Amino acid sequence: MNITLIIIGMAVITCLIKAIIFVMGDRVVFSPLLKKALGFVPVTVLTAIIVPMVLSPHGQGLELNWRNPQLIGALAAIVVCVATRRQLPTIFIGLLVFFGWQLAGSF
């Protein structure tokens, strides 16, 4: 019950903030520093979601070993990203390595 109330409360607060900004329209002017800081929010949120999934996929502590397909896939994606600086090959190779490693580990 508490989790439901927390989710509803977060939804209400999020809607209120977005509604206020939408209603205020052009009268809300963000400083250049705030605009720059807001540009980092998606990267930060994505990192906060992905890193725990890669390092602790089962939620039982760090799994820094070769049997962790998420870690191997992420390392492959990092190598491809550094080498190519292109998103599509990074995603494709990362997923290919992840699924291949997971499939190989199931035999």
Side-chain angles (χ1 to χ4, degrees):
M1 184 65 183
N2 285 338
I3 293 175
T4 304
L5 289 176
I6 290 171
I7 291 172
I8 291 171
M10 290 171 36
V12 168
I13 290 172
T14 301
C15 287
L16 278 175
I17 291 172
K18 289 185 177 191
I20 289 170
I21 292 174
F22 182 73
V23 169
M24 296 292 285
D26 291 335
R27 290 176 282 183
V28 177
V29 178
F30 294 120
S31 68
L33 182 63
L34 182 59
K35 284 182 182 178
K36 187 175 182 179
L38 289 174
F40 291 107
V41 170
V43 174
T44 305
V45 170
L46 194 59
T47 302
I49 292 170
I50 290 176
V51 169
M53 291 171 51
V54 168
L55 298 180
S56 179
H58 299 102
Q60 304 293 325
L62 290 177
E63 295 182 28
L64 301 175
N65 57 48
W66 61 274
R67 294 183 181 190
N68 181 355
Q70 287 90 343
L71 180 63
I72 302 301
L75 291 174
I78 289 170
V79 169
V80 172
C81 180
V82 169
T84 65
R85 299 210 178 267
R86 297 177 58 202
Q87 290 179 347
L88 193 57
T90 299
I91 294 169
F92 182 74
I93 297 296
L95 285 174
L96 192 67
V97 170
F98 166 72
F99 285 120
W101 204 270
Q102 194 169 29
L103 186 65
S106 64
F107 291 116

